[in-house]
Amino acid sequence: MSRKDTLKAMLTRRTEELPDGNSESEPAPQPISHVRSGAVGAMGRSLGQIASAAERAKALVASGAAVVEIPADKVLGSFAQDRLEDEGAEFTTLYQAIKDSGQKSPILVRPHPDKADHYQIAYGHRRAKILAKLGRPVRAVVQNLTDEELVVIQGQENSARKDLSYVERGLFAVTLEEQGFDRAVIMSALSMEKTQLSRLLSLTKSIPKSVIVAIGPAPKAGRPRWTELAERIAALKNNARLDDAIADPKFVEADTDQRFVRLFNALAPRKPAAKTNKVIVKADAGQKIATVERTSTKLAVVVDAQGSLEFGEFVASRLPELFRQFEERKETPNG
């Protein structure tokens, strides 16, 4: 079979793969050669070529080509963070599955551009983390990828599984922009058009990163809720309420979606205090005997304790009688 036919077979071969790498078969390891990647921003190829290379690399993983075992301590994360730390229910389920049945699908890595004999993850971060916790080697396909190819693969793999939350996608986009990647590359990595990307970047930048990290991925909170949270943060006169809410032990102990809700509610606009009208009541001799406080919903009579305590007790004892007189007056015509 020619090389062209072999590549075509790789790209068209059907495989069944569960979320975050749990396939039904595992190919035998094969050797592979390594070459260092290009520098950030060195886009020697067109975006179409980058996307094509990304698809070829993913096809190699799907076809089971060139799988090797690498010690977990030699597998390092991508330079572009796409996940917030959160070992929730999904992570626990995946951990137990790998612990019980082993790693069913290899991850994709490239030779690390700055550390000899180390590798950098394109996708499969959770699997690598779990295998490190279990003290097991990582099964991986090693491909020579440029920085652009790596982030396109990384972003498209997560988008295909709809695995990243809205705010994680935002942080990934901001990270790529800060790394100097072209907008076209970021759009390809996140599979979104220009307007969507601009909106995502603007919203993510409007929320302090420390707040996002404190909340975590919050997968149940979509763009509208994050947008409203950003507006509530912007409306604060100072950060006291924000800091207090994040430092609250109940916030710290909650899961990521509950943390979002707790902070969202803590920063809700406060209703303006009811306007109070105070009138001081004096006796004929001039001494203060009480203060009448009126708001739109209530009226309170506060008797001055220093000079009129006995009077206050007298009024309190007469309240039932006064109320009866009031009721009788309402029932009397022209009363």
Side-chain angles (χ1 to χ4, degrees):
M1 183 182 290
S2 68
R3 182 177 180 182
K4 181 178 180 181
D5 291 337
T6 301
L7 179 58
K8 182 178 180 181
M10 287 180 180
L11 291 172
T12 57
R13 181 173 176 175
R14 297 174 63 111
T15 59
E16 294 184 18
E17 193 168 322
L18 299 175
D20 204 33
N22 287 292
S23 63
E24 295 184 353
S25 62
E26 292 182 355
Q30 299 179 27
I32 189 166
S33 60
H34 307 150
V35 179
R36 292 172 65 87
S37 70
V40 171
M43 297 183 65
R45 285 168 288 183
S46 69
L47 182 60
Q49 290 174 312
I50 291 171
S52 177
E55 288 302 317
R56 289 199 300 273
K58 289 167 68 176
L60 285 170
V61 174
S63 68
V67 178
V68 296
E69 287 194 346
I70 306 172
D73 62 351
K74 292 187 179 296
V75 179
L76 306 180
S78 167
F79 60 87
Q81 180 185 3
D82 62 358
R83 290 189 186 279
L84 292 167
E85 291 294 328
D86 180 61
E87 297 187 5
E90 290 185 6
F91 182 90
T92 302
T93 299
L94 182 61
Y95 177 92
Q96 196 61 45
I98 293 177
K99 181 180 179 181
D100 294 342
S101 305
Q103 182 188 356
K104 295 298 184 181
S105 179
I107 70 171
L108 179 63
V109 301
R110 70 173 180 176
H112 200 288
D114 302 317
K115 299 186 87 172
D117 199 31
H118 285 72
Y119 301 85
Q120 194 169 55
I121 300 172
Y123 66 77
H125 285 81
R126 287 191 297 182
R127 279 170 281 171
K129 182 177 180 179
I130 288 169
L131 291 163
K133 283 177 173 286
L134 294 171
R136 300 178 187 176
V138 179
R139 299 182 65 253
V141 170
V142 183
Q143 282 293 297
N144 303 310
L145 304 170
T146 65
D147 290 333
E148 290 81 8
E149 289 167 351
L150 184 143
V151 297
V152 168
I153 293 170
Q154 182 179 349
Q156 289 186 355
E157 175 65 10
N158 285 321
S159 296
R161 293 198 310 267
K162 296 183 179 179
D163 204 21
L164 296 182
S165 69
Y166 185 81
V167 76
E168 284 179 311
R169 287 163 63 81
L171 283 180
F172 185 47
V174 170
T175 299
L176 295 184
E177 185 181 64
E178 291 173 349
Q179 293 275 355
F181 285 97
D182 187 89
R183 281 287 178 99
V185 173
I186 305 175
M187 288 162 58
S188 179
L190 290 170
S191 301
M192 61 174 52
E193 50 89 20
K194 186 175 181 180
T195 302
Q196 290 176 312
L197 178 60
S198 296
R199 186 185 299 124
L200 179 65
L201 286 168
S202 177
L203 173 58
T204 307
K205 292 176 183 178
S206 70
I207 303 173
K209 185 176 180 180
S210 60
V211 173
I212 296 175
V213 171
I215 293 172
K220 294 181 181 179
R223 180 176 65 84
R225 302 263 289 170
W226 279 103
T227 299
E228 188 168 349
L229 178 64
E231 292 171 353
R232 292 184 178 189
I233 292 174
L236 295 175
K237 294 182 179 179
N238 56 62
N239 289 334
R241 289 171 64 192
L242 180 64
D243 295 340
D244 289 346
I246 291 176
D248 187 335
K250 291 182 179 179
F251 174 91
V252 176
E253 295 166 3
D255 67 33
T256 178
D257 284 309
Q258 291 172 340
R259 289 198 296 270
F260 180 92
V261 172
R262 291 190 68 87
L263 185 60
F264 187 82
N265 291 339
L267 301 185
R270 290 177 173 172
K271 295 180 180 179
K275 184 178 180 180
T276 302
N277 181 27
K278 294 184 178 182
V279 176
I280 296 175
V281 181
K282 297 181 179 181
D284 293 340
Q287 75 269 31
K288 176 183 174 183
I289 57 175
T291 301
V292 178
E293 299 181 356
R294 291 184 177 88
T295 69
S296 59
T297 58
K298 68 178 182 179
L299 182 147
V301 178
V302 181
V303 176
D304 182 67
Q306 292 182 352
S308 308
L309 183 56
E310 291 182 359
F311 172 68
E313 294 290 353
F314 170 77
V315 171
S317 67
R318 297 286 302 274
L319 284 176
E321 180 183 344
L322 290 172
F323 184 75
R324 283 194 299 271
Q325 292 176 8
F326 171 74
E327 290 292 301
E328 291 173 357
R329 183 179 179 183
K330 287 199 304 181
E331 294 173 0
T332 302
N334 301 319

